[in-house]
Coordinates of all heavy atoms in Angstrom, one line a residue:
M1 N 0.8 -1.2 0.0 CA 0.0 0.0 0.0 C 0.9 1.2 0.0 O 1.7 1.4 0.9 CB -0.9 0.0 1.2 CG -2.0 -1.0 1.1 SD -3.2 -0.9 2.5 CE -2.3 -1.8 3.7
P2 N 0.7 2.1 -0.9 CA 1.5 3.3 -1.1 C 1.1 4.4 0.0 O 0.0 4.8 0.0 CB 1.2 3.8 -2.5 CG -0.1 3.3 -2.8 CD -0.4 2.0 -2.0
I3 N 2.1 4.7 0.8 CA 1.8 5.8 1.7 C 2.8 7.0 1.3 O 4.0 6.8 1.2 CB 2.2 5.4 3.2 CG1 1.2 4.3 3.6 CG2 2.0 6.6 4.1 CD1 1.4 3.8 5.0
Y4 N 2.1 8.1 1.1 CA 2.9 9.3 0.6 C 3.0 10.3 1.7 O 2.2 10.3 2.6 CB 2.2 9.9 -0.6 CG 2.2 9.0 -1.8 CD1 1.0 8.3 -2.1 CD2 3.3 8.9 -2.6 CE1 1.0 7.5 -3.3 CE2 3.3 8.1 -3.7 CZ 2.2 7.4 -4.0 OH 2.1 6.6 -5.1
E5 N 4.1 11.0 1.7 CA 4.2 12.1 2.6 C 3.9 13.4 1.9 O 4.2 13.7 0.8 CB 5.7 12.2 3.1 CG 6.0 11.2 4.1 CD 7.4 11.5 4.7 OE1 8.4 11.0 4.2 OE2 7.5 12.1 5.7
F6 N 3.2 14.3 2.7 CA 2.7 15.5 2.2 C 3.2 16.7 3.1 O 3.3 16.5 4.3 CB 1.2 15.6 2.0 CG 0.7 14.6 1.0 CD1 0.4 13.3 1.4 CD2 0.4 14.9 -0.3 CE1 -0.1 12.4 0.5 CE2 -0.1 14.0 -1.2 CZ -0.3 12.7 -0.8
D7 N 3.3 17.8 2.5 CA 3.5 19.0 3.3 C 2.3 20.0 3.0 O 2.0 20.3 1.8 CB 4.8 19.7 2.9 CG 6.0 19.0 3.5 OD1 6.0 18.7 4.7 OD2 7.0 18.7 2.7
C8 N 1.7 20.5 4.1 CA 0.7 21.4 3.9 C 1.2 22.8 3.7 O 2.1 23.3 4.4 CB -0.2 21.4 5.1 SG -1.6 22.6 5.0
Q9 N 0.7 23.5 2.7 CA 1.2 24.8 2.4 C 0.5 25.9 3.3 O 1.0 27.0 3.4 CB 0.9 25.2 0.9 CG 1.5 24.2 -0.1 CD 3.0 24.1 0.0 OE1 3.7 25.1 -0.3 NE2 3.5 22.9 0.4
D10 N -0.5 25.5 3.9 CA -1.3 26.4 4.8 C -0.7 26.5 6.2 O -0.4 27.6 6.7 CB -2.7 26.0 4.8 CG -3.4 26.3 3.5 OD1 -2.9 27.1 2.7 OD2 -4.5 25.7 3.2
C11 N -0.6 25.3 6.8 CA -0.1 25.3 8.2 C 1.3 24.8 8.3 O 1.9 24.6 9.4 CB -1.1 24.5 9.1 SG -1.1 22.8 8.7
H12 N 1.9 24.4 7.1 CA 3.3 23.9 7.1 C 3.5 22.7 8.0 O 4.6 22.6 8.6 CB 4.2 25.1 7.5 CG 4.1 26.2 6.5 ND1 4.6 26.3 5.3 CD2 3.5 27.4 6.7 CE1 4.4 27.4 4.7 NE2 3.7 28.2 5.6
S13 N 2.6 21.9 8.0 CA 2.8 20.6 8.8 C 2.9 19.5 7.8 O 2.4 19.5 6.7 CB 1.6 20.3 9.7 OG 0.4 20.0 9.0
G14 N 3.7 18.5 8.2 CA 3.9 17.4 7.3 C 3.1 16.2 7.8 O 2.8 16.1 9.0
F15 N 2.6 15.4 6.9 CA 1.8 14.3 7.3 C 1.9 13.2 6.3 O 2.3 13.4 5.2 CB 0.3 14.6 7.5 CG -0.3 15.2 6.3 CD1 -1.1 14.4 5.5 CD2 -0.2 16.6 6.0 CE1 -1.7 14.9 4.3 CE2 -0.8 17.1 4.9 CZ -1.6 16.2 4.0
E16 N 1.6 12.0 6.7 CA 1.6 10.8 5.8 C 0.2 10.4 5.5 O -0.7 10.5 6.4 CB 2.3 9.7 6.4 CG 3.8 10.0 6.7 CD 4.5 8.8 7.3 OE1 3.8 7.9 7.8 OE2 5.7 8.7 7.3
K17 N 0.0 10.0 4.3 CA -1.4 9.6 4.0 C -1.3 8.4 3.0 O -0.5 8.4 2.1 CB -2.1 10.7 3.3 CG -3.6 10.5 3.1 CD -4.4 11.5 3.7 CE -5.9 11.3 3.5 NZ -6.7 11.9 4.6
L18 N -2.2 7.5 3.3 CA -2.3 6.3 2.4 C -3.2 6.7 1.2 O -4.3 7.2 1.4 CB -2.9 5.1 3.1 CG -2.9 3.8 2.4 CD1 -2.6 2.7 3.3 CD2 -4.2 3.6 1.7
V19 N -2.6 6.6 0.0 CA -3.3 7.0 -1.2 C -3.6 5.9 -2.1 O -2.7 5.1 -2.5 CB -2.5 8.1 -1.9 CG1 -3.3 8.6 -3.2 CG2 -2.3 9.3 -1.0
R20 N -4.8 5.7 -2.4 CA -5.2 4.6 -3.4 C -5.4 5.2 -4.8 O -6.3 5.8 -5.1 CB -6.5 4.0 -2.9 CG -6.3 3.2 -1.6 CD -7.6 2.7 -1.1 NE -7.5 2.1 0.2 CZ -8.5 1.8 1.0 NH1 -9.8 2.1 0.6 NH2 -8.3 1.3 2.2
G21 N -4.4 5.0 -5.5 CA -4.4 5.5 -6.9 C -3.8 6.8 -7.0 O -3.9 7.7 -6.1
F22 N -3.1 7.0 -8.1 CA -2.4 8.3 -8.3 C -3.3 9.5 -8.3 O -3.0 10.6 -7.9 CB -1.6 8.2 -9.6 CG -0.6 9.3 -9.7 CD1 0.7 9.3 -9.0 CD2 -0.8 10.4 -10.5 CE1 1.6 10.3 -9.1 CE2 0.1 11.4 -10.6 CZ 1.3 11.4 -9.9
S23 N -4.5 9.3 -8.9 CA -5.4 10.4 -9.1 C -5.9 10.9 -7.7 O -6.4 12.0 -7.6 CB -6.6 10.0 -9.9 OG -7.3 8.9 -9.3
A24 N -5.9 10.0 -6.7 CA -6.4 10.4 -5.4 C -5.5 11.4 -4.7 O -5.9 12.0 -3.7 CB -6.5 9.2 -4.5
I25 N -4.2 11.5 -5.2 CA -3.3 12.4 -4.5 C -3.8 13.9 -4.6 O -3.7 14.6 -3.7 CB -1.9 12.3 -5.2 CG1 -1.3 11.0 -4.9 CG2 -1.0 13.5 -4.8 CD1 0.0 10.7 -5.7
G26 N -4.5 14.2 -5.7 CA -5.0 15.5 -5.9 C -6.1 15.9 -4.9 O -6.5 17.0 -4.7
S27 N -6.7 14.9 -4.3 CA -7.9 15.1 -3.4 C -7.5 15.0 -1.9 O -8.3 15.0 -1.1 CB -9.0 14.2 -3.7 OG -8.6 12.8 -3.5
V28 N -6.2 14.9 -1.7 CA -5.7 14.8 -0.3 C -5.8 16.2 0.4 O -5.5 17.2 -0.2 CB -4.2 14.3 -0.3 CG1 -3.6 14.4 1.1 CG2 -4.1 12.9 -0.8
T29 N -6.3 16.1 1.6 CA -6.4 17.3 2.4 C -5.6 17.2 3.7 O -5.4 16.1 4.2 CB -7.9 17.6 2.8 OG1 -8.4 16.5 3.5 CG2 -8.7 17.9 1.5
C30 N -5.2 18.3 4.2 CA -4.4 18.3 5.4 C -5.3 17.9 6.7 O -6.3 18.5 6.9 CB -3.9 19.7 5.6 SG -3.0 20.0 7.2
P31 N -4.8 17.0 7.4 CA -5.5 16.6 8.6 C -5.4 17.6 9.8 O -6.2 17.5 10.7 CB -4.8 15.3 9.0 CG -3.4 15.4 8.5 CD -3.5 16.2 7.3
Q32 N -4.5 18.5 9.7 CA -4.4 19.5 10.7 C -5.4 20.7 10.5 O -6.1 21.1 11.4 CB -3.0 20.1 10.7 CG -1.9 19.0 11.0 CD -1.9 18.6 12.4 OE1 -2.3 19.3 13.3 NE2 -1.4 17.4 12.7
C33 N -5.4 21.2 9.3 CA -6.2 22.4 9.1 C -7.3 22.1 8.0 O -8.1 23.0 7.8 CB -5.3 23.6 8.7 SG -4.6 23.4 7.0
G34 N -7.2 21.0 7.4 CA -8.2 20.7 6.4 C -8.0 21.3 5.1 O -8.8 21.3 4.2
G35 N -6.8 22.0 4.9 CA -6.5 22.7 3.7 C -6.2 21.8 2.6 O -5.9 20.6 2.8
Q36 N -6.4 22.3 1.4 CA -6.2 21.5 0.2 C -4.9 21.8 -0.5 O -4.5 21.2 -1.5 CB -7.3 21.6 -0.8 CG -8.7 21.1 -0.2 CD -9.8 21.2 -1.2 OE1 -9.9 22.2 -1.9 NE2 -10.7 20.2 -1.3
Q37 N -4.2 22.8 0.1 CA -2.9 23.2 -0.5 C -1.8 22.3 0.0 O -1.0 22.7 0.8 CB -2.6 24.7 -0.2 CG -3.7 25.6 -0.7 CD -3.8 25.6 -2.2 OE1 -2.8 25.5 -2.9 NE2 -5.0 25.6 -2.7
V38 N -1.8 21.1 -0.4 CA -0.8 20.1 0.1 C 0.1 19.7 -1.1 O -0.3 19.7 -2.2 CB -1.4 18.8 0.7 CG1 -2.3 19.2 1.9 CG2 -2.3 18.1 -0.3
Q39 N 1.3 19.5 -0.8 CA 2.3 19.1 -1.8 C 2.9 17.8 -1.4 O 3.4 17.6 -0.3 CB 3.3 20.2 -1.9 CG 4.3 20.0 -3.1 CD 5.0 21.3 -3.5 OE1 5.3 22.1 -2.6 NE2 5.2 21.5 -4.7
K40 N 3.0 16.9 -2.4 CA 3.5 15.6 -2.1 C 5.0 15.7 -2.1 O 5.7 16.3 -2.9 CB 3.1 14.6 -3.2 CG 3.5 13.2 -2.8 CD 2.9 12.2 -3.8 CE 3.7 12.1 -5.1 NZ 5.0 11.5 -4.9
R41 N 5.6 15.1 -1.0 CA 7.0 15.0 -1.0 C 7.5 13.9 -1.8 O 6.8 13.0 -2.2 CB 7.5 14.7 0.5 CG 7.4 15.9 1.4 CD 8.1 15.5 2.7 NE 7.5 16.2 3.8 CZ 7.7 15.8 5.1 NH1 8.5 14.8 5.4 NH2 7.1 16.5 6.1
L42 N 8.8 13.9 -2.0 CA 9.4 12.7 -2.6 C 9.3 11.6 -1.7 O 9.3 11.8 -0.5 CB 10.9 13.0 -3.0 CG 11.1 14.1 -4.1 CD1 12.6 14.3 -4.3 CD2 10.4 13.6 -5.4
S43 N 9.3 10.4 -2.2 CA 9.2 9.2 -1.3 C 10.3 9.2 -0.3 O 11.5 9.5 -0.6 CB 9.1 8.0 -2.1 OG 10.4 7.7 -2.6
T44 N 10.0 8.7 0.9 CA 11.0 8.6 1.9 C 12.0 7.5 1.5 O 13.2 7.6 1.9 CB 10.3 8.1 3.3 OG1 9.5 7.0 3.0 CG2 9.5 9.2 3.8
F45 N 11.6 6.6 0.8 CA 12.6 5.6 0.3 C 13.7 6.2 -0.5 O 14.8 5.9 -0.3 CB 11.8 4.5 -0.5 CG 12.7 3.4 -1.0 CD1 13.4 2.5 -0.2 CD2 13.0 3.4 -2.4 CE1 14.2 1.6 -0.7 CE2 13.9 2.4 -2.9 CZ 14.5 1.5 -2.1
A46 N 13.2 7.0 -1.5 CA 14.2 7.6 -2.4 C 15.1 8.6 -1.6 O 16.3 8.5 -1.8 CB 13.5 8.4 -3.5
S47 N 14.5 9.4 -0.8 CA 15.3 10.4 -0.1 C 16.3 9.7 0.9 O 17.4 10.1 1.2 CB 14.4 11.3 0.7 OG 13.6 10.7 1.6
H48 N 15.8 8.5 1.4 CA 16.6 7.8 2.4 C 17.9 7.3 1.7 O 19.0 7.4 2.3 CB 15.8 6.6 3.0 CG 16.4 6.1 4.2 ND1 16.3 6.8 5.4 CD2 17.0 4.9 4.5 CE1 16.9 6.0 6.3 NE2 17.3 4.9 5.8
V49 N 17.7 6.8 0.6 CA 18.9 6.2 -0.1 C 19.8 7.4 -0.6 O 21.0 7.3 -0.5 CB 18.4 5.4 -1.4 CG1 19.6 5.0 -2.2 CG2 17.6 4.2 -0.9
A50 N 19.2 8.4 -1.1 CA 20.0 9.5 -1.6 C 20.7 10.2 -0.5 O 21.8 10.8 -0.7 CB 19.0 10.5 -2.3
G51 N 20.1 10.2 0.7 CA 20.7 10.8 1.9 C 22.0 10.2 2.3 O 22.9 10.8 2.8
G52 N 22.2 8.9 2.0 CA 23.4 8.2 2.2 C 23.6 7.9 3.7 O 24.7 7.5 4.1
S53 N 22.6 8.0 4.5 CA 22.7 7.7 5.9 C 22.5 6.2 6.1 O 21.5 5.7 6.5 CB 21.7 8.5 6.7 OG 20.4 8.3 6.3
F54 N 23.5 5.5 5.8 CA 23.5 4.0 5.8 C 24.0 3.5 7.1 O 24.3 2.3 7.2 CB 24.2 3.4 4.6 CG 23.3 3.0 3.5 CD1 22.5 3.8 2.9 CD2 23.3 1.6 3.1 CE1 21.6 3.4 1.9 CE2 22.5 1.2 2.1 CZ 21.7 2.1 1.5
S55 N 24.1 4.3 8.1 CA 24.7 3.9 9.4 C 23.6 3.1 10.2 O 24.0 2.4 11.1 CB 25.1 5.1 10.2 OG 24.0 6.0 10.4
L56 N 22.4 3.2 9.7 CA 21.4 2.4 10.4 C 21.6 0.9 10.3 O 22.2 0.5 9.2 CB 20.0 2.7 9.9 CG 19.5 4.2 10.1 CD1 18.2 4.4 9.5 CD2 19.4 4.4 11.7
S57 N 21.3 0.1 11.3 CA 21.6 -1.3 11.2 C 20.6 -2.0 10.3 O 20.9 -3.2 9.9 CB 21.4 -1.9 12.6 OG 20.1 -1.7 13.1
A58 N 19.6 -1.4 9.9 CA 18.6 -2.1 9.0 C 19.3 -2.4 7.6 O 19.8 -1.5 7.0 CB 17.4 -1.2 8.8
P59 N 19.2 -3.6 7.2 CA 19.7 -4.0 5.9 C 18.9 -3.4 4.8 O 17.7 -3.1 5.0 CB 19.7 -5.5 5.9 CG 18.6 -5.9 6.8 CD 18.7 -4.8 7.9
A60 N 19.5 -3.1 3.7 CA 18.8 -2.5 2.5 C 17.6 -3.4 2.1 O 16.6 -2.9 1.6 CB 19.7 -2.3 1.4
A61 N 17.7 -4.7 2.3 CA 16.7 -5.6 1.8 C 15.4 -5.3 2.6 O 14.3 -5.6 2.1 CB 17.1 -7.0 2.0
A62 N 15.5 -4.8 3.8 CA 14.3 -4.5 4.6 C 13.4 -3.5 3.9 O 12.2 -3.5 4.1 CB 14.7 -4.0 6.0
C63 N 14.0 -2.6 3.1 CA 13.2 -1.5 2.5 C 12.9 -1.9 1.1 O 12.0 -1.3 0.4 CB 14.0 -0.2 2.4 SG 14.8 0.2 4.0
A64 N 13.5 -2.9 0.5 CA 13.3 -3.2 -0.9 C 12.0 -4.1 -1.0 O 11.8 -5.1 -0.4 CB 14.5 -4.0 -1.4
P65 N 11.1 -3.6 -1.9 CA 9.9 -4.4 -2.2 C 10.2 -5.7 -2.8 O 11.0 -5.8 -3.7 CB 9.1 -3.5 -3.1 CG 10.1 -2.5 -3.7 CD 11.2 -2.4 -2.7
G66 N 9.6 -6.8 -2.3 CA 9.9 -8.1 -2.8 C 11.2 -8.6 -2.4 O 11.7 -9.7 -2.9
G67 N 11.9 -8.0 -1.5 CA 13.2 -8.4 -1.0 C 13.1 -9.6 -0.1 O 14.1 -10.3 0.1
A68 N 11.9 -9.9 0.4 CA 11.7 -11.0 1.4 C 12.7 -10.9 2.5 O 13.4 -11.9 2.7 CB 11.8 -12.3 0.6
Ligands
LIG1 ZN1 -2.6 22.3 7.0

């Protein structure tokens, strides 16, 4: 299940939301203020890898889909 991270442009709070289908992203509203000015962040998976903070003990396979 895809969970995306959003940033609210109104109250500047970040939140995660489970989105079913790409088109549903446009109808996401902020749980804090109910605003619709939300912007999807890049996936945490991508930013995590790009960040290079591999000091965590979790193996990469834990994050990889289908890695079992
Ligand atoms: Zn908000």
Side-chain angles (χ1 to χ4, degrees):
M1 287 186 281
I3 297 179
Y4 295 101
E5 282 191 274
F6 295 87
D7 282 314
C8 178
Q9 304 298 298
D10 289 338
C11 66
H12 301 286
S13 68
F15 60 95
E16 295 179 345
K17 189 122 181 156
L18 188 142
V19 179
R20 293 175 186 164
F22 191 80
S23 61
I25 291 175
S27 62
V28 171
T29 56
C30 173
Q32 298 288 332
C33 69
Q36 295 182 321
Q37 301 298 319
V38 298
Q39 188 160 34
K40 189 171 83 67
R41 281 188 213 168
L42 294 177
S43 72
T44 50
F45 175 72
S47 61
H48 197 70
V49 173
S53 55
F54 257 58
S55 57
L56 294 175
S57 60
C63 312

